[in-house]
Amino acid sequence: MGDRRPACRSSLSPPAAQMGNLLCCVVVEESTVAIKERFGKFEEVLEPGLHCIPWVTGDRLAGHLSLRLQQLDVRCETKTKDNVFVNVVASIQYRALADKASDAFYKLSNTKSQIQAYVFDVIRASVPKLNLDDTFEQKNDIARAVEQELEKAMSAYGYEIVQTLIVDIEPDEHVKRAMNEINAAARLRVAATEKAEAEKILQIKRAEGEAESKYLSGLGIARQRQAIVDGLRDSVLGFSVNVPGTTAKDVMDMVLVTQYFDTMREIGAASKSSAVFIPHGPGAVRDVATQIRDGLLQASHHQTHE
């Protein structure tokens, strides 16, 4: 075993070792025990310190056993339920029990191989029941199953399983690349959805703003026209009072003709205005006045009924 030391090894200096062999004295180091035999049969476990082993009576030192905490990393290749080959790396921390040192020394010839065999058995029985994603999520359950099996088996050989960890799960390189691509595609899909949602909200807000703007513009135009009508009405009433014998129709025709010529002047004064062809003459002016008057009367009629 890797944790045993042969009986012929001495921890004393060469002169002291020679003297110790003559006097049948051995030294057991700290965190170590020694196994004493008499005529090839187990006699006792020697604790750390100086011990006398008289060879003339058939006593001899069979070997040493370390009580230090040891670690064994086991790499096991297996297949998941969805047919993906993975390498599962388990880290086993164990140590020999001082009160069962004879079992640990005599019952096992290779402790690490025995532990490795149990780890292989449990991992290859657990992982094939899980999909790849579930294997990553349930690695603590796998470690717990390995530890329980090892404790049950190794306690009979004088060993304690301190802790078991699944430190790594490595899928095949092609599988890892495919998983990364799937993850990247999912993130791009979420980003595109969020971007589309943001653009949708922006368009809705823009449409609401345009609707509100048009609504306010309509209110402004309506108020402007109402003010024009009120001004015309006041002008007609004032002119009729100051000039006896005139009717409201005469005053309205004169006001409309005046506005008609003001409009013509503004069109001609504009620097970038396009050419506008409109009928001109006494008859045309009368027709324009009639059309405007009819439109104003219809608007007033609708406002009265509303």
Side-chain angles (χ1 to χ4, degrees):
M1 284 177 51
D3 50 2
R4 298 177 184 173
R5 283 176 290 176
C8 60
R9 178 180 175 181
S10 175
S11 58
L12 301 174
S13 60
Q18 294 177 0
M19 183 63 68
N21 291 333
L22 293 176
L23 298 176
C24 302
C25 294
V26 295
V27 174
V28 180
E29 298 177 354
E30 187 65 33
S31 299
T32 305
V33 294
I35 305 300
K36 177 183 176 183
E37 294 179 348
R38 175 169 295 174
F39 296 111
K41 182 181 179 180
F42 170 73
E43 179 69 18
E44 63 175 326
V45 176
L46 303 181
E47 299 292 335
L50 179 65
H51 299 273
C52 182
I53 303 178
W55 58 271
V56 293
T57 60
D59 294 339
R60 77 180 190 93
L61 196 65
H64 294 77
L65 181 68
S66 174
L67 302 180
R68 293 185 178 93
L69 182 67
Q70 301 182 63
Q71 178 168 313
L72 175 64
D73 292 331
V74 180
R75 177 181 293 269
C76 175
E77 184 179 18
T78 185
K79 185 176 70 171
T80 63
K81 186 177 181 180
D82 47 354
N83 297 321
V84 177
F85 282 92
V86 294
N87 284 311
V88 181
V89 181
S91 180
I92 315 299
Q93 297 176 352
Y94 67 99
R95 63 187 170 194
L97 297 173
D99 56 344
K100 294 184 178 181
S102 60
D103 292 336
F105 188 85
Y106 287 105
K107 288 186 176 182
L108 282 180
S109 60
N110 194 326
T111 307
K112 293 183 178 180
S113 297
Q114 187 76 7
I115 293 176
Q116 185 175 2
Y118 280 106
V119 173
F120 280 178
D121 181 65
V122 175
I123 290 179
R124 288 174 175 169
S126 302
V127 174
K129 299 177 182 178
L130 304 172
N131 292 326
L132 180 61
D133 293 339
D134 297 334
T135 303
F136 283 97
E137 294 175 0
Q138 300 182 28
K139 69 173 187 175
N140 290 336
D141 296 336
I142 299 173
R144 194 176 301 112
V146 173
E147 184 172 345
Q148 291 175 355
E149 186 67 21
L150 285 175
E151 285 179 349
K152 183 170 59 176
M154 299 303 294
S155 60
Y157 300 110
Y159 282 91
E160 175 191 11
I161 304 300
V162 178
Q163 192 170 14
T164 301
L165 302 172
I166 301 298
V167 296
D168 197 9
I169 299 175
E170 299 178 354
D172 182 77
E173 188 64 30
H174 298 290
V175 176
K176 290 169 65 176
R177 189 180 301 111
M179 292 175 64
N180 291 334
E181 291 176 356
I182 292 173
N183 189 24
R187 292 181 182 275
L188 290 175
R189 184 167 59 251
V190 172
T193 302
E194 294 295 333
K195 183 179 179 181
E197 189 67 22
E199 291 178 353
K200 175 184 175 183
I201 294 173
L202 184 61
Q203 291 178 359
I204 292 175
K205 293 299 181 181
R206 186 183 295 113
E208 291 176 352
E210 291 178 356
E212 183 69 18
S213 175
K214 291 179 180 179
Y215 172 74
L216 295 177
S217 177
L219 287 179
I221 293 173
R223 291 173 181 174
Q224 179 186 17
R225 292 176 178 174
Q226 182 65 40
I228 292 173
V229 171
D230 292 341
L232 291 174
R233 184 182 64 247
D234 294 340
S235 298
V236 170
L237 292 177
F239 193 86
S240 300
V241 172
N242 294 328
V243 182
T246 59
T247 64
K249 179 180 179 304
D250 297 334
V251 177
M252 190 65 179
D253 290 340
M254 185 181 66
V255 171
L256 291 176
V257 170
T258 303
Q259 289 187 345
Y260 175 78
F261 283 111
D262 290 341
T263 302
M264 295 281 292
R265 185 178 66 253
E266 290 179 0
I267 292 175
S271 60
K272 296 182 180 180
S273 61
S274 301
V276 178
F277 297 94
I278 58 175
H280 183 63
V285 173
R286 184 172 59 253
D287 293 339
V288 171
T290 301
Q291 294 176 10
I292 296 176
R293 182 172 58 252
D294 292 342
L296 292 174
L297 291 175
Q298 290 178 6
S300 177
H301 177 74
H302 285 299
Q303 289 180 355
T304 302
H305 283 77
E306 289 177 358

